[in-house]
Amino acid sequence: MTQQNNTLAEIRPRFVVDTPPFMHRGCTVGGMMRDMLIALAPAAAAAIWHYGLPAVRVMALAAGVCVLTQALWEKLLGRSSRVFDGSALVTGLLLAFLLPAGAPWWLVATGAALTMLLGRELFGGLGCNPLCPPLVGWAALTVSWPVHMDPTAMNLGSSLIDPLIRMKYFGWTALPEGSELALALGGQLGGLGSTQVAALLLGGLFLLARKVVRWEIPAAFLAGVLALGSLFWLFGETMGVNPANCPPPHLYLLTGSTLFAAFFLATDHASSPVAIAGMFGYGLLAGCMTVLIRIFGIYPDGAPFAVLLAALTAPLLDLIRPQPFGGKRSQ
Amino acid sequence: MASMWKEFSKGLWAEIPPFRVVLGLCPTLAVTKNAENGLGMGLAVIFVLVLSNALISLVRKLIPKKVRIVCFIAIAATLVVAIELLMQAYTYPLYQQLGIFVPLIVVNCIILGRAEAFAAKNPVHLAIADGLGMGLGFTLSLTFLGALRELLGTGALFGRSVMWEGFKPFTIMVEAPGAFIALGGLLALMNCISIVSARRAGKEVPVNAGGGCGLGCCGTNQ
């Protein structure tokens, strides 16, 4: 056996035929996660400005438990540790952004552990997850403990309002007059970071500029929200929908986690389609579902569920792929 | 006797349904909201499986090969109607809980699978041992799955509260997604155990014992 290996090594050709990539641009997972952290920083700062120390507590706990879970899991399986690439830290922060600032510690810790295990590690770790990991943790928490996930119930001392609840039960005209600016600056109850609209827009544009995420998915998502939102706003009454439930389209963007979902959740690299046509379909589906769930669903904020649903269609959308150069379309 | 024991015991671990053979998943997912339902469903399946195995084995030489499936189903359906009436008479609350899944035992793949794969080819005593083992394995699995989901999802076992004061039940485990999470986790655990024990015994490690990753990401169907 050894002898054979030696012979093979001796006759190895000088020019090796290998698979691409042949050159490396120097991008690493760690670098990408650093960009993600920078993009999340404005929203984190805004969250601390609005909610104070409780927000810091939730973010630190979620990120810490995520990192710890990944480290323990890799230790248990005897895999080489990839904790230091920062992906667990970013995942934990994304989950924390979806939680109310007053969430009890066990809720945050359970959610973070579920996010890492159920959302990512059971499927093979970073890059193998079929759904966006923070959304898996968020969905499990929302279904299991709806009271502890309710931003109003968890921030009783706050003077802010939850615009989504108000729009759902009292109609969009019940929102205070001229509250758009306050909403954009994050003056609303909801997930602690996911409602910091202006700060998230800043972070999202940074991600686009650094090409960490492709522009197709957020653009299609927002186009879907605005298109279907306008449709219901203009023609909702003729279609038999209560006009109080059909707010003007810009309110969809300013309330809840729409922008957060568009820039940070829907663009999760592993669970979104890879081809351009698929990206547009995926974004449009998620955007339209957001509007539909907000108008007709039982959950006030439709965006996270919309992204989860769209991610389930991603393997199908990936079948729409470009023709290989010079190749023929197979029948 | 030894061969009877062999046929009986294979249903308890080596081929335990539904984890090893991954058959009969519909009742496994649907009725395991609590341990009691799992146990009740399992007992009903034992009844049907043992008797259908015995009957099919008895008449195996009389059944023409071309219409054997129809005959198997007719025998299973007769037994299921019997157990359904018995449950209505003696365990009505459980019957109401299990609902449509009692009549659906007719189309449970384990019943037809054992009939086709075992009872139609073996003498009566072996068929009964096989049915008893498989049924018992199915009951154990369903009770365990139900107990796990009930414990996490409501903090109780067989309806009695066992968790500490202030335990916040993990409700998703008794909802539909919880069934898939629990089943998937247990399947992964079973595969993990068999890989480790195969490695201990110095045998070849089964790769992907439960099939592919199901996502088409493994490069096999590109």
Side-chain angles (χ1 to χ4, degrees), chain B residues 49 68-69 72-73 106 108-117:
Chain B
L49 190 54
R68 65 187 193 287
I69 302 285
F72 297 162
I73 292 285
V106 178
N108 190 325
C109 294
I110 295 173
I111 311 276
L112 194 61
R114 292 329 290 171
E116 170 81 4

Side-chain angles (χ1 to χ4, degrees), chain A residues 106 110 114 118 123 128 130 139-140 143-145 148 315 321, chain B residues 168-173 175 177 181 185 188 215 217 221-222:
Chain A
W106 51 265
T110 316
L114 283 175
L118 212 55
F123 293 99
C128 298
V143 174
S144 294
W145 296 289
H148 298 94
R321 55 183 121 191
Chain B
K168 302 279 193 298
F170 188 32
T171 322
I172 197 171
M173 292 309 284
E175 306 280 342
I181 295 172
L215 287 174
C217 59
N221 57 352
Q222 291 301 302

Side-chain angles (χ1 to χ4, degrees), chain A residues 76-249:
Chain A
L76 186 74
L77 262 61
R79 287 186 185 156
S80 57
S81 179
R82 301 206 313 203
V83 170
F84 296 103
D85 65 12
S87 63
L89 194 69
V90 169
T91 306
L93 268 182
L94 289 176
L95 174 72
F97 272 27
L98 288 164
L99 302 177
W105 68 269
W106 51 265
L107 185 84
V108 182
T110 316
L114 283 175
T115 297
M116 287 313 282
L117 288 180
L118 212 55
R120 225 173 81 175
E121 297 303 324
L122 277 180
F123 293 99
L126 180 67
C128 298
N129 46 301
L131 299 167
C132 179
L135 285 178
V136 175
W138 173 86
L141 295 181
T142 306
V143 174
S144 294
W145 296 289
V147 174
H148 298 94
M149 288 293 284
D150 180 7
T152 319
M154 286 294 113
N155 295 298
L156 285 177
S158 174
S159 58
L160 300 172
I161 56 152
D162 186 342
L164 289 169
I165 297 284
R166 206 164 267 216
M167 269 158 49
K168 187 143 199 83
Y169 296 111
F170 304 102
W172 63 273
T173 41
L175 287 184
E177 199 69 27
S179 58
E180 276 88 353
L181 186 65
L183 287 176
L185 292 175
Q188 51 178 318
L189 283 183
L192 66 91
S194 61
T195 48
Q196 313 298 339
V197 179
L200 286 169
L201 187 63
L202 204 66
L205 293 177
F206 172 76
L207 285 186
L208 290 183
R210 294 281 296 163
K211 295 193 176 165
V212 175
V213 301
R214 299 279 296 253
W215 63 271
E216 284 90 347
I217 292 174
F221 189 113
L222 298 178
V225 170
L226 290 175
L228 202 60
S230 316
L231 192 73
F232 276 110
W233 184 49
L234 296 173
F235 305 112
E237 204 168 357
T238 41
M239 288 190 287
V241 187
N242 183 359
N245 283 342
C246 304

Side-chain angles (χ1 to χ4, degrees), chain A residues 290-314:
Chain A
T290 305
V291 174
L292 289 179
I293 295 175
R294 282 200 186 177
I295 295 179
F296 300 106
I298 53 166
Y299 288 100
D301 190 358
F305 278 120
V307 173
L308 273 179
L309 196 73
L312 291 179
T313 66

Side-chain angles (χ1 to χ4, degrees), chain B residues 151-162:
Chain B
L151 187 70
L152 291 173
T154 62
L157 262 187
F158 287 100
R160 246 173 258 130
S161 182
V162 289

